[in-house]
Amino acid sequence: SPSAPVSRPERTAAPVSRPPADESHDAILDLSESIISKLLYNMGLEAQVSAHLDESDRAERRSIRVDVRGRDLSVLIGRHAETLNAFQNIASLIVGKQAGQFVQLVVDVEGFRARREKQLRQMAQRMADQALKMGRRVALEPMSAAERRIVHMELQGHPAVTTESTGEEPRRKVTIVPKE
């Protein structure tokens, strides 16, 4: 019957009625996937790339999470994630230039950043306990601004300790201080 083909396009056309902002985000997600795939290919790495908006972000400062999956990608992470951070910065600049706007990308390889965040949260709690037990300040190892932020956020509501960043880049670190 002729009515069946007509109803099918109406269903597929429904997503088109989204606000224009969503469509531009879709374009930026596609652009991010394309550029990162091309960069990885040029580096001789085979991987699947998927981009999505980071749901945990505030509306005024959104970032795009890009998950990279494949075999033998440890070379992309590097020592202390230095290679991954550099790759992320370069990809952000390229995507931003092509999109004509600032784009904050967070590139994760095989869930590395998620695992590292969990480790940092656990370490923050352990070191807060240690600072309280010893009754003195405890300095953590030097880490990136993003990793320091995770530690600060984890201990933000802690009833017995505060945190502060000390030192100069690139050796800046979090110090956990027992409250008076």
Coordinates of all heavy atoms in Angstrom, one line a residue, residues 14-98:
A14 N 12.1 12.5 12.0 CA 11.9 13.0 13.3 C 13.2 13.6 14.0 O 13.1 14.7 14.5 CB 11.3 12.0 14.3
P15 N 14.3 13.0 13.9 CA 15.5 13.5 14.5 C 15.9 14.9 13.9 O 16.6 15.7 14.5 CB 16.6 12.5 14.2 CG 15.9 11.2 14.0 CD 14.6 11.6 13.4
V16 N 15.5 15.2 12.7 CA 15.8 16.4 12.0 C 15.2 17.6 12.7 O 15.7 18.7 12.7 CB 15.4 16.4 10.5 CG1 15.7 17.7 9.9 CG2 16.1 15.3 9.8
S17 N 14.2 17.4 13.5 CA 13.5 18.5 14.2 C 14.2 18.9 15.5 O 13.7 19.7 16.3 CB 12.0 18.1 14.5 OG 12.0 17.0 15.5
R18 N 15.4 18.3 15.8 CA 16.2 18.7 16.9 C 16.6 20.1 16.8 O 16.7 20.7 15.7 CB 17.4 17.8 17.1 CG 17.1 16.4 17.6 CD 18.4 15.6 17.6 NE 19.0 15.7 16.3 CZ 19.9 14.8 16.0 NH1 20.3 13.8 16.7 NH2 20.5 14.9 14.8
P19 N 17.0 20.8 17.9 CA 17.5 22.2 17.9 C 18.7 22.2 17.0 O 19.5 21.3 17.0 CB 17.8 22.5 19.3 CG 17.0 21.5 20.1 CD 16.8 20.3 19.3
P20 N 19.0 23.3 16.3 CA 20.2 23.4 15.5 C 21.5 23.2 16.3 O 22.4 22.7 15.7 CB 20.1 24.9 15.0 CG 18.7 25.3 15.1 CD 18.1 24.5 16.3
A21 N 21.5 23.5 17.6 CA 22.8 23.3 18.3 C 23.2 21.8 18.3 O 24.3 21.5 18.2 CB 22.5 23.7 19.8
D22 N 22.2 20.9 18.4 CA 22.5 19.5 18.4 C 23.1 19.1 17.0 O 24.0 18.3 17.0 CB 21.2 18.7 18.6 CG 20.8 18.7 20.1 OD1 21.6 19.2 20.9 OD2 19.7 18.3 20.4
E23 N 22.6 19.7 16.0 CA 23.1 19.4 14.6 C 24.5 19.8 14.5 O 25.4 19.1 14.0 CB 22.2 20.0 13.6 CG 20.8 19.4 13.5 CD 19.9 20.1 12.6 OE1 20.4 20.9 11.7 OE2 18.7 19.9 12.7
S24 N 24.9 21.0 15.1 CA 26.3 21.4 15.0 C 27.2 20.6 15.8 O 28.3 20.3 15.4 CB 26.4 22.9 15.4 OG 26.1 23.1 16.8
H25 N 26.6 20.1 17.0 CA 27.4 19.2 17.8 C 27.7 17.9 17.0 O 28.7 17.3 17.1 CB 26.7 18.9 19.1 CG 26.8 20.0 20.1 ND1 28.0 20.6 20.4 CD2 25.9 20.6 20.8 CE1 27.8 21.6 21.3 NE2 26.5 21.6 21.6
D26 N 26.6 17.4 16.3 CA 26.8 16.2 15.5 C 27.9 16.4 14.5 O 28.7 15.5 14.3 CB 25.5 15.8 14.9 CG 24.5 15.3 15.8 OD1 24.8 14.9 17.0 OD2 23.3 15.2 15.4
A27 N 27.9 17.5 13.9 CA 29.0 17.8 12.9 C 30.3 17.8 13.5 O 31.3 17.3 12.9 CB 28.7 19.1 12.2
I28 N 30.4 18.4 14.7 CA 31.7 18.5 15.4 C 32.2 17.1 15.8 O 33.3 16.7 15.8 CB 31.7 19.5 16.6 CG1 31.6 20.9 16.0 CG2 32.9 19.3 17.5 CD1 31.4 22.0 17.1
L29 N 31.2 16.3 16.3 CA 31.5 14.9 16.6 C 32.1 14.1 15.4 O 33.1 13.4 15.5 CB 30.3 14.2 17.2 CG 29.8 14.7 18.5 CD1 28.5 13.9 19.0 CD2 30.8 14.7 19.6
D30 N 31.4 14.3 14.3 CA 31.8 13.6 13.1 C 33.2 14.1 12.7 O 34.1 13.3 12.3 CB 30.9 13.9 11.9 CG 29.5 13.1 12.1 OD1 29.5 12.2 12.9 OD2 28.5 13.5 11.4
L31 N 33.4 15.4 12.7 CA 34.7 16.0 12.4 C 35.8 15.5 13.3 O 36.9 15.1 12.9 CB 34.6 17.5 12.5 CG 35.9 18.3 12.2 CD1 36.3 18.1 10.7 CD2 35.7 19.8 12.5
S32 N 35.5 15.4 14.6 CA 36.5 14.9 15.6 C 36.9 13.5 15.3 O 38.1 13.1 15.3 CB 35.9 14.9 17.0 OG 35.6 16.3 17.4
E33 N 35.9 12.6 15.0 CA 36.2 11.2 14.7 C 37.0 11.1 13.4 O 38.0 10.4 13.4 CB 34.9 10.4 14.5 CG 34.1 10.2 15.7 CD 32.8 9.4 15.5 OE1 32.5 9.1 14.3 OE2 32.1 9.1 16.5
S34 N 36.7 11.9 12.4 CA 37.4 11.9 11.1 C 38.8 12.3 11.3 O 39.7 11.6 10.8 CB 36.7 12.8 10.1 OG 37.4 12.9 9.0
I35 N 39.1 13.4 12.0 CA 40.4 13.9 12.1 C 41.3 13.0 13.0 O 42.4 12.7 12.6 CB 40.4 15.4 12.7 CG1 39.9 16.3 11.7 CG2 41.8 15.8 13.3 CD1 39.6 17.7 12.2
I36 N 40.7 12.5 14.1 CA 41.5 11.6 14.9 C 41.8 10.3 14.2 O 42.9 9.7 14.3 CB 40.8 11.4 16.3 CG1 40.9 12.7 17.1 CG2 41.4 10.2 17.0 CD1 40.2 12.7 18.4
S37 N 40.8 9.8 13.4 CA 41.1 8.6 12.6 C 42.2 8.8 11.6 O 43.1 7.9 11.5 CB 39.8 8.1 11.9 OG 38.8 7.7 12.8
K38 N 42.2 9.9 11.0 CA 43.2 10.3 10.0 C 44.6 10.4 10.7 O 45.6 9.9 10.2 CB 42.9 11.6 9.3 CG 43.4 11.7 7.9 CD 42.9 12.9 7.2 CE 41.4 12.8 6.9 NZ 40.8 13.9 6.2
L39 N 44.6 11.0 11.8 CA 45.9 11.2 12.6 C 46.5 9.8 12.9 O 47.7 9.5 12.8 CB 45.7 12.0 13.8 CG 45.6 13.5 13.7 CD1 45.2 14.2 15.0 CD2 46.9 14.1 13.1
L40 N 45.6 8.9 13.5 CA 46.0 7.6 13.9 C 46.5 6.8 12.7 O 47.5 6.1 12.7 CB 44.9 6.8 14.6 CG 44.4 7.4 15.9 CD1 43.1 6.7 16.4 CD2 45.5 7.2 16.9
Y41 N 45.8 6.9 11.5 CA 46.2 6.2 10.3 C 47.6 6.7 9.9 O 48.4 5.9 9.5 CB 45.2 6.5 9.2 CG 45.6 5.9 7.9 CD1 45.4 4.5 7.6 CD2 46.1 6.7 6.9 CE1 45.8 4.0 6.4 CE2 46.5 6.2 5.7 CZ 46.3 4.8 5.4 OH 46.7 4.3 4.2
N42 N 47.8 8.0 9.9 CA 49.1 8.5 9.5 C 50.2 8.1 10.5 O 51.4 8.2 10.1 CB 49.0 10.1 9.4 CG 48.2 10.5 8.2 OD1 48.2 9.8 7.2 ND2 47.6 11.7 8.3
M43 N 49.9 7.8 11.7 CA 50.8 7.3 12.7 C 51.1 5.8 12.5 O 51.9 5.2 13.3 CB 50.4 7.6 14.1 CG 50.3 9.1 14.5 SD 49.5 9.4 16.1 CE 50.7 8.7 17.2
G44 N 50.3 5.2 11.6 CA 50.5 3.7 11.4 C 49.7 2.9 12.4 O 50.1 1.7 12.6
L45 N 48.7 3.5 13.1 CA 47.9 2.8 14.1 C 46.5 2.5 13.5 O 45.9 3.3 12.9 CB 47.8 3.6 15.4 CG 49.1 4.0 16.1 CD1 48.9 4.9 17.2 CD2 49.8 2.7 16.6
E46 N 46.1 1.2 13.8 CA 44.7 0.9 13.4 C 43.8 0.9 14.7 O 44.2 0.3 15.7 CB 44.7 -0.6 12.9 CG 45.3 -0.7 11.5 CD 45.1 -2.1 10.9 OE1 44.0 -2.7 11.2 OE2 46.0 -2.5 10.3
A47 N 42.7 1.7 14.6 CA 41.9 1.8 15.8 C 40.5 2.2 15.3 O 40.3 2.8 14.3 CB 42.5 2.8 16.7
Q48 N 39.5 1.9 16.2 CA 38.2 2.4 16.0 C 38.0 3.7 16.9 O 38.5 3.7 18.0 CB 37.1 1.4 16.5 CG 37.1 0.1 15.7 CD 38.2 -0.8 16.0 OE1 38.5 -1.1 17.2 NE2 38.9 -1.3 15.0
V49 N 37.4 4.7 16.3 CA 37.3 6.0 17.0 C 35.8 6.3 17.1 O 35.0 6.2 16.2 CB 38.0 7.1 16.2 CG1 37.8 8.4 16.9 CG2 39.4 6.8 16.0
S50 N 35.3 6.7 18.4 CA 34.0 7.1 18.5 C 34.0 8.4 19.4 O 34.6 8.4 20.5 CB 33.1 6.0 19.1 OG 33.5 5.7 20.4
A51 N 33.2 9.4 19.0 CA 33.2 10.6 19.8 C 31.8 10.9 20.3 O 30.8 10.5 19.6 CB 33.6 11.8 18.9
H52 N 31.7 11.4 21.5 CA 30.4 11.8 22.1 C 30.6 13.0 23.0 O 31.7 13.2 23.5 CB 29.7 10.6 22.8 CG 30.6 10.0 23.8 ND1 31.6 9.0 23.5 CD2 30.7 10.2 25.1 CE1 32.2 8.7 24.7 NE2 31.7 9.4 25.6
L53 N 29.5 13.7 23.3 CA 29.5 14.8 24.2 C 29.7 14.3 25.6 O 29.1 13.3 26.0 CB 28.3 15.7 24.1 CG 28.1 16.5 22.8 CD1 26.8 17.2 22.8 CD2 29.3 17.5 22.7
D54 N 30.5 14.9 26.4 CA 30.8 14.5 27.8 C 29.6 14.9 28.6 O 29.3 16.1 28.8 CB 32.0 15.1 28.3 CG 32.5 14.4 29.6 OD1 31.6 13.9 30.3 OD2 33.7 14.5 29.9
E55 N 28.8 14.0 29.1 CA 27.5 14.3 29.9 C 27.8 15.0 31.2 O 27.0 15.7 31.7 CB 26.7 13.0 30.1 CG 26.4 12.2 28.9 CD 27.4 11.2 28.5 OE1 28.3 10.8 29.4 OE2 27.5 10.8 27.4
S56 N 29.0 14.8 31.8 CA 29.3 15.3 33.1 C 29.6 16.8 33.0 O 29.7 17.5 34.1 CB 30.5 14.6 33.7 OG 31.6 14.8 33.0
D57 N 29.8 17.4 31.9 CA 30.2 18.8 31.8 C 29.0 19.7 32.0 O 27.9 19.4 31.8 CB 30.8 19.1 30.4 CG 32.2 18.6 30.3 OD1 32.8 18.2 31.3 OD2 32.7 18.5 29.1
R58 N 29.4 20.9 32.4 CA 28.4 22.0 32.5 C 28.1 22.5 31.1 O 28.9 22.4 30.2 CB 28.9 23.1 33.4 CG 29.3 22.7 34.8 CD 29.9 23.9 35.6 NE 30.9 24.6 34.9 CZ 32.2 24.2 35.0 NH1 32.6 23.1 35.6 NH2 33.2 24.9 34.4
A59 N 26.9 23.1 30.9 CA 26.5 23.6 29.6 C 27.4 24.6 29.0 O 27.7 24.7 27.9 CB 25.1 24.2 29.7
E60 N 28.0 25.5 29.9 CA 28.8 26.6 29.4 C 30.3 26.1 29.0 O 31.0 26.8 28.4 CB 28.9 27.7 30.4 CG 29.7 27.4 31.7 CD 28.9 26.8 32.8 OE1 27.7 26.5 32.5 OE2 29.4 26.7 33.9
R61 N 30.6 24.9 29.4 CA 32.0 24.4 29.1 C 31.9 22.9 28.8 O 32.1 22.1 29.6 CB 32.9 24.6 30.3 CG 34.3 24.2 29.9 CD 35.3 24.8 30.9 NE 36.7 24.5 30.5 CZ 37.4 23.6 31.1 NH1 37.0 23.0 32.2 NH2 38.6 23.3 30.7
R62 N 31.5 22.6 27.5 CA 31.3 21.3 27.1 C 32.6 20.7 26.5 O 33.3 21.5 25.8 CB 30.2 21.2 26.1 CG 28.9 21.8 26.7 CD 27.8 21.6 25.8 NE 27.1 20.4 26.2 CZ 26.0 19.9 25.8 NH1 25.4 20.6 24.8 NH2 25.5 18.8 26.2
S63 N 32.8 19.5 26.6 CA 33.9 18.9 25.9 C 33.4 17.6 25.2 O 32.4 17.1 25.5 CB 35.0 18.5 26.9 OG 34.6 17.5 27.8
I64 N 34.3 17.2 24.3 CA 34.0 16.0 23.5 C 34.9 14.9 23.9 O 36.1 15.1 24.0 CB 34.2 16.3 22.0 CG1 33.2 17.4 21.5 CG2 34.0 15.0 21.2 CD1 33.4 17.9 20.1
R65 N 34.3 13.8 24.3 CA 35.1 12.6 24.7 C 35.3 11.8 23.4 O 34.3 11.5 22.7 CB 34.4 11.8 25.8 CG 34.5 12.5 27.1 CD 34.2 11.5 28.2 NE 35.2 10.5 28.4 CZ 36.2 10.6 29.1 NH1 36.5 11.7 29.8 NH2 37.1 9.6 29.2
V66 N 36.5 11.4 23.2 CA 36.8 10.5 22.0 C 37.4 9.3 22.5 O 38.5 9.3 23.2 CB 37.7 11.3 21.0 CG1 38.0 10.4 19.8 CG2 37.2 12.6 20.6
D67 N 36.7 8.2 22.3 CA 37.3 6.8 22.7 C 37.9 6.2 21.5 O 37.4 6.1 20.4 CB 36.1 6.0 23.2 CG 35.5 6.5 24.5 OD1 36.3 6.9 25.4 OD2 34.3 6.6 24.6
V68 N 39.2 5.7 21.8 CA 40.0 5.1 20.8 C 40.2 3.6 21.2 O 40.6 3.4 22.3 CB 41.3 5.8 20.6 CG1 42.2 5.0 19.5 CG2 41.1 7.2 20.2
R69 N 39.8 2.7 20.4 CA 39.9 1.3 20.7 C 40.7 0.5 19.6 O 40.5 0.8 18.4 CB 38.6 0.6 20.9 CG 37.8 1.3 22.0 CD 37.2 0.3 22.9 NE 36.5 0.9 24.0 CZ 36.9 1.0 25.2 NH1 38.1 0.5 25.5 NH2 36.3 1.6 26.2
G70 N 41.6 -0.4 20.0 CA 42.3 -1.1 19.0 C 43.4 -1.9 19.7 O 43.5 -2.0 20.9
R71 N 44.3 -2.6 18.9 CA 45.3 -3.4 19.4 C 46.6 -2.6 19.4 O 46.9 -1.8 18.6 CB 45.5 -4.6 18.6 CG 44.3 -5.6 18.7 CD 44.3 -6.6 17.6 NE 45.6 -7.1 17.3 CZ 46.0 -8.4 17.6 NH1 45.2 -9.2 18.2 NH2 47.2 -8.7 17.2
D72 N 47.5 -2.9 20.4 CA 48.8 -2.3 20.5 C 48.8 -0.8 20.5 O 49.5 -0.1 19.7 CB 49.7 -2.8 19.3 CG 49.8 -4.3 19.4 OD1 49.9 -4.9 20.5 OD2 49.9 -4.9 18.3
L73 N 48.0 -0.2 21.3 CA 47.9 1.3 21.3 C 48.6 1.9 22.5 O 48.5 3.1 22.7 CB 46.4 1.7 21.4 CG 45.6 1.4 20.2 CD1 44.1 1.8 20.4 CD2 46.1 2.1 18.9
S74 N 49.4 1.1 23.2 CA 50.2 1.6 24.4 C 51.1 2.7 23.9 O 51.4 3.6 24.7 CB 50.9 0.5 25.1 OG 51.8 -0.1 24.2
V75 N 51.6 2.6 22.7 CA 52.5 3.6 22.1 C 51.8 5.0 22.1 O 52.5 6.0 22.2 CB 53.1 3.2 20.7 CG1 51.9 3.2 19.7 CG2 54.2 4.1 20.3
L76 N 50.5 5.0 22.0 CA 49.8 6.3 21.9 C 49.6 6.9 23.3 O 49.5 8.1 23.4 CB 48.4 6.0 21.3 CG 47.5 7.2 21.1 CD1 48.2 8.3 20.2 CD2 46.2 6.8 20.4
I77 N 49.7 6.1 24.3 CA 49.6 6.6 25.7 C 50.9 7.1 26.2 O 51.0 8.3 26.6 CB 49.1 5.5 26.7 CG1 47.7 5.0 26.3 CG2 49.1 6.0 28.1 CD1 47.2 3.8 27.0
G78 N 52.0 6.4 26.0 CA 53.3 6.8 26.4 C 53.5 6.8 27.9 O 52.6 6.5 28.7
R79 N 54.7 7.3 28.3 CA 55.1 7.3 29.7 C 54.3 8.5 30.4 O 54.3 9.6 29.9 CB 56.6 7.6 29.8 CG 57.1 7.4 31.2 CD 58.7 7.4 31.1 NE 59.2 7.2 32.5 CZ 59.6 8.2 33.2 NH1 59.6 9.5 32.7 NH2 60.1 8.0 34.4
H80 N 53.7 8.2 31.5 CA 52.9 9.1 32.3 C 51.9 9.8 31.4 O 51.5 11.0 31.6 CB 53.7 10.2 33.0 CG 54.7 9.6 33.9 ND1 54.3 8.8 35.0 CD2 56.1 9.5 33.9 CE1 55.4 8.4 35.7 NE2 56.4 8.8 35.1
A81 N 51.4 9.2 30.4 CA 50.4 9.7 29.4 C 50.8 10.9 28.7 O 50.0 11.7 28.1 CB 49.0 10.0 30.1
E82 N 52.1 11.2 28.6 CA 52.7 12.3 27.9 C 52.3 12.3 26.4 O 51.9 13.3 25.9 CB 54.2 12.5 28.1 CG 54.5 12.9 29.5 CD 56.0 12.8 29.8 OE1 56.8 12.3 28.9 OE2 56.4 13.2 30.9
T83 N 52.4 11.2 25.8 CA 52.1 11.1 24.4 C 50.6 11.3 24.1 O 50.3 12.1 23.2 CB 52.6 9.7 23.8 OG1 53.9 9.5 24.1 CG2 52.4 9.6 22.3
L84 N 49.8 10.7 25.0 CA 48.4 10.8 24.8 C 47.9 12.3 25.0 O 47.1 12.8 24.3 CB 47.6 9.9 25.8 CG 46.1 10.0 25.8 CD1 45.6 9.7 24.4 CD2 45.5 9.0 26.8
N85 N 48.5 13.0 26.0 CA 48.2 14.4 26.3 C 48.6 15.3 25.1 O 47.9 16.2 24.7 CB 48.9 14.9 27.5 CG 48.2 14.3 28.8 OD1 47.1 13.8 28.8 ND2 49.0 14.2 29.9
A86 N 49.8 15.0 24.5 CA 50.3 15.8 23.3 C 49.3 15.5 22.1 O 48.9 16.4 21.4 CB 51.7 15.4 23.0
F87 N 49.0 14.2 21.9 CA 48.1 13.9 20.8 C 46.7 14.6 21.0 O 46.2 15.1 20.1 CB 47.9 12.3 20.8 CG 47.0 11.8 19.7 CD1 47.4 11.6 18.5 CD2 45.6 11.6 20.0 CE1 46.6 11.2 17.4 CE2 44.8 11.2 19.0 CZ 45.2 11.0 17.7
Q88 N 46.2 14.6 22.2 CA 45.0 15.2 22.5 C 45.0 16.7 22.2 O 44.1 17.3 21.6 CB 44.6 15.0 24.0 CG 43.4 15.6 24.5 CD 43.1 15.3 25.9 OE1 42.7 14.1 26.2 NE2 43.3 16.2 26.9
N89 N 46.1 17.4 22.6 CA 46.3 18.8 22.3 C 46.3 19.1 20.9 O 45.7 20.0 20.4 CB 47.5 19.4 23.0 CG 47.4 19.4 24.5 OD1 46.3 19.5 25.0 ND2 48.5 19.5 25.2
I90 N 47.1 18.3 20.1 CA 47.2 18.5 18.7 C 45.8 18.3 18.0 O 45.4 19.1 17.2 CB 48.2 17.6 18.1 CG1 49.6 18.0 18.5 CG2 48.1 17.5 16.6 CD1 50.7 17.0 18.2
A91 N 45.1 17.2 18.4 CA 43.8 16.9 17.8 C 42.8 18.0 18.1 O 42.1 18.4 17.3 CB 43.3 15.6 18.4
S92 N 42.9 18.6 19.4 CA 42.0 19.7 19.7 C 42.2 20.9 18.9 O 41.2 21.5 18.4 CB 42.2 20.1 21.2 OG 41.7 19.1 22.1
L93 N 43.5 21.2 18.6 CA 43.8 22.4 17.8 C 43.3 22.2 16.4 O 42.8 23.1 15.8 CB 45.3 22.6 17.8 CG 45.9 23.1 19.1 CD1 47.4 23.1 19.1 CD2 45.3 24.5 19.5
I94 N 43.5 21.0 15.8 CA 43.1 20.7 14.4 C 41.6 20.8 14.3 O 41.1 21.4 13.4 CB 43.7 19.4 13.9 CG1 45.2 19.4 13.9 CG2 43.1 19.0 12.6 CD1 45.9 18.1 13.6
V95 N 40.9 20.1 15.2 CA 39.4 20.1 15.2 C 38.9 21.5 15.3 O 38.0 21.9 14.6 CB 38.8 19.1 16.2 CG1 37.3 19.3 16.3 CG2 39.2 17.7 15.9
G96 N 39.5 22.2 16.3 CA 39.0 23.6 16.5 C 39.2 24.5 15.3 O 38.3 25.3 15.0
K97 N 40.4 24.4 14.7 CA 40.6 25.2 13.5 C 39.7 24.8 12.4 O 39.1 25.7 11.7 CB 42.1 25.0 13.0 CG 42.5 25.8 11.8 CD 44.0 25.9 11.7 CE 44.5 26.7 10.5 NZ 44.2 28.1 10.6
Q98 N 39.4 23.6 12.1 CA 38.5 23.2 11.1 C 37.0 23.5 11.4 O 36.3 23.9 10.5 CB 38.6 21.6 10.8 CG 39.9 21.2 10.3 CD 39.9 20.5 9.1 OE1 38.9 20.0 8.6 NE2 41.1 20.3 8.5

